[in-house]
Amino acid sequence: MRRHRNVKIVATLGPASSTYEMIRALFEAGADVFRLNMSHGVHEDIRKRHEIIRQVEKDLGRPIGILADLQGPKLRVGVFANGSEELVEGAAFRMDLSTAPGDAKRVNLPHPEIFAALEAGTSLLVNDGKIRLRVGACGKDFADCTVEVGGTISNRKGVNVPDVVLPVAALSEKDRGDLEFACELGVDWLALSFVQRPEDVIEARSLAKGRAAILSKIEKPAAVKAYDAILQVSDGIMVARGDLGVELPVTSVPPIQKRLVRGARAQAKPVIVATQMLESMIESPVPTRAEVSDVATAIYEGADAVMLSAESAAGKYPVEAVSTMNAVAMSVEKDPTYRSVIEASRVVRRESVADGIVAAAREIAEATNIKAICCFSQTGNTAALVARERPHVPIIALTPLMSTARRMALTWGAHCVITPPQERFKGAVLAAVGAARSDGFATEEDQIVVTAGVPFNVKGTTNILRVAPCDERLISRVDPE
């Protein structure tokens, strides 16, 4: 199955999308990567969905990426004697370590690490920011607050602390168990929640031991501040706009999104824009105009992927949501303005031989009638470098490793093909030509660009560029071996 677009679609699986028939329908509608949300469902549910995805992959003969999204630590208040209370603006309200049921004046906050980080003037947000408290006096086991924005507070509502870096690890005990389970299953990407510092990512990487790539979710102000350092140690990025919009003014999220996308593009690392992209399609078969514009904006910015959450996991119209996202992407990528915007935002990096090779491949493709850029990649890095150039022709990423092909399902424009290991460059050219023709990117009258590294099957050796005819009879017998 050949995709006719460059941006990838990530679809979250859940109660509305757990059968073989539905998961296959979502893939055929346009999903490239499936997200398994470790916050919901038991391990056995996750295992069954993973098995179905791999069966669909086998039946359709196309690599499919799987992203396991770790929950991260959840900071919540305790319970109330009456189940809930109404907090009034200007009133005093205490949070403390006492386990007594809460009332209109206080409630348990069973997180001493929060109290350790608080200081006067810090904001506490409850229930996705619907309630805002300002800390006055505080100590190691209490915080006396003033209600700045009131509302109903009820049992176990979530708490956000946007103003400080909390001494809380990004991986809870549950996350550690989920991480090991997901890696044993064989997922391709791990999405890490509650990232505040690069050390959080380094810890997750040490536990994954190379079994999955690490994608950092940027959802906290501390992560935005430390973004460059976090990006350096991550394999990919998710712009998690939901939590960003809780802990930061919602008006700051669009410029942050643009900065995060551009930063990841510059480093040739996949970046997903996520949260509420087609939110109304949870209940409606058609999206709002604003939602369509939101998806289009992420694509114009050059995001590698756009993501559906509850729309495909629990909504009434999961296939329609994927189809809509696919249609928006197709429409944007046909727009002449799209090419000019993408090219204007291209980051020029010439720090290695590989950088020069992929830039030359893109420039040759733009100057001549080249039908595709074919790159051989052991790890996916060469395909990512080609994708950073955002060429106007398709990228055919060839690899002997299914694990690499699955990870590249998240890379902009990468059409992944499994090919036998190559020992000679001439054989690689013939394999590239065969893939371009068999998958419908070129005919025997056309030409393609081939990039590879010699010696083969060694990562980081991209050093050859060849313009090759797609008529195998014209590939010279004196071609370099």
Side-chain angles (χ1 to χ4, degrees):
M1 179 187 292
R2 172 186 167 185
R3 301 289 198 214
H4 294 274
R5 58 173 159 74
N6 293 310
V7 70
K8 301 302 180 70
I9 295 174
V10 181
T12 303
L13 299 184
S17 48
S18 290
T19 65
Y20 174 92
E21 291 75 19
M22 178 58 75
I23 293 172
R24 178 166 177 160
L26 292 175
F27 181 77
E28 291 178 330
D32 301 283
V33 176
F34 288 109
R35 172 175 172 255
L36 305 176
N37 190 351
M38 306 302 287
S39 299
H40 304 290
V42 297
H43 281 183
E44 191 54 36
D45 294 336
I46 301 293
R47 186 189 304 278
K48 288 177 181 177
R49 289 167 191 159
H50 183 276
E51 289 173 353
I52 291 172
I53 296 166
R54 291 295 178 237
Q55 188 61 51
V56 171
E57 177 183 73
K58 181 179 178 182
D59 292 346
L60 296 181
R62 293 292 312 140
I64 301 175
I66 300 179
L67 168 71
D69 195 332
L70 302 176
Q71 176 178 288
K74 292 298 179 185
L75 308 177
R76 301 183 185 279
V77 300
V79 298
F80 290 84
N82 297 324
S84 66
E85 295 287 349
E86 198 71 23
L87 299 189
V88 179
E89 181 179 338
F93 191 76
R94 168 176 279 217
M95 290 188 172
D96 55 41
L97 291 179
S98 169
T99 57
D103 53 32
K105 295 184 177 181
R106 62 153 295 278
V107 73
N108 173 231
L109 181 62
H111 301 286
E113 63 273 20
I114 292 182
F115 296 114
L118 291 180
E119 54 189 41
T122 302
S123 292
L124 289 173
L125 309 178
V126 185
N127 193 14
D128 290 335
K130 295 181 177 67
I131 294 172
R132 180 181 292 270
L133 309 175
R134 183 72 64 183
V135 175
C138 57
K140 64 181 182 179
D141 58 358
F142 77 96
D144 287 328
C145 308
T146 301
V147 179
E148 290 193 337
V149 177
T152 302
I153 185 171
S154 56
N155 296 343
R156 299 186 179 89
K157 288 302 181 184
V159 177
N160 295 79
V161 192
D163 300 338
V164 296
V165 176
L166 293 174
V168 178
L171 293 169
S172 65
E173 285 305 309
K174 168 180 163 50
D175 294 322
R176 290 170 180 270
D178 288 345
L179 183 152
E180 184 59 30
F181 170 75
C183 287
E184 285 296 308
L185 270 186
V187 303
D188 310 298
W189 288 88
L190 287 168
L192 186 61
S193 300
F194 211 88
V195 174
Q196 298 185 95
R197 53 184 86 80
E199 290 78 10
D200 295 330
V201 188
I202 293 169
E203 180 187 12
R205 186 180 300 285
S206 70
L207 294 172
K209 299 174 184 174
R211 292 172 292 174
I214 306 298
L215 185 141
S216 296
K217 295 168 66 175
I218 307 300
E219 54 189 357
K220 299 186 72 61
V224 175
K225 291 179 182 176
Y227 179 59
D228 291 341
I230 290 169
L231 179 59
Q232 286 295 325
V233 296
S234 304
D235 298 307
I237 293 294
M238 182 189 293
V239 186
R241 305 177 307 171
D243 283 297
L244 277 177
V246 171
E247 298 208 4
L248 290 164
V250 291
T251 52
S252 70
V253 174
I256 289 172
Q257 175 178 315
K258 282 184 165 49
R259 181 165 79 83
L260 301 185
V261 170
R262 287 206 176 189
R265 279 185 61 192
Q267 294 293 326
K269 295 182 178 181
V271 55
I272 305 170
V273 175
T275 320
Q276 298 179 327
M277 300 212 81
L278 295 175
E279 185 87 351
S280 69
M281 291 194 75
I282 296 171
E283 297 290 339
S284 169
V286 295
T288 67
R289 293 168 182 81
E291 288 167 340
V292 170
S293 180
D294 181 41
V295 174
T297 295
I299 298 169
Y300 278 112
E301 288 171 353
D304 288 80
V306 285
M307 192 177 99
L308 295 167
S309 299
E311 302 96 326
S312 57
K316 295 179 180 178
Y317 304 97
V319 175
E320 290 85 351
V322 173
S323 297
T324 297
M325 198 163 258
N326 180 70
V328 174
M330 297 278 286
S331 176
V332 169
E333 291 181 0
K334 289 177 183 175
D335 177 15
T337 304
Y338 171 72
R339 285 307 322 168
S340 64
V341 170
I342 288 294
E343 287 164 13
S345 60
R346 181 182 293 124
V347 176
V348 178
R349 293 181 75 98
R350 303 291 183 267
E351 299 176 359
S352 67
V353 171
D355 289 337
I357 291 285
V358 299
R362 192 240 328 143
E363 290 169 2
I364 291 169
E366 289 177 353
T368 58
N369 191 28
I370 296 295
K371 295 301 181 182
I373 297 174
C374 298
C375 57
F376 286 82
S377 189
Q378 192 77 2
T379 63
N381 289 342
T382 301
L385 291 176
V386 175
R388 181 175 67 192
E389 296 289 321
R390 299 296 192 258
H392 74 278
V393 298
I395 302 168
I396 304 175
L398 299 104
T399 181
L401 302 176
M402 177 59 86
S403 58
T404 296
R406 289 167 173 164
R407 290 184 190 183
M408 288 192 295
L410 198 55
T411 299
W412 185 97
H415 176 82
C416 305
V417 177
I418 301 295
T419 186
Q422 303 296 321
E423 300 297 334
R424 297 281 186 257
F425 184 67
K426 187 174 182 178
V429 172
L430 291 170
V433 165
R437 289 176 56 180
S438 64
D439 286 7
F441 291 100
T443 67
E444 67 175 19
E445 287 79 31
D446 296 321
Q447 291 183 310
I448 61 172
V449 169
V450 181
T451 70
V454 176
F456 273 94
N457 306 317
V458 177
K459 68 177 184 179
T461 59
T462 301
N463 54 18
I464 291 181
L465 183 151
R466 166 84 158 92
V467 177
C470 289
D471 185 342
E472 295 175 1
R473 297 167 298 181
L474 299 179
I475 297 177
S476 170
R477 290 181 180 176
V478 296
D479 249 27
E481 289 290 337

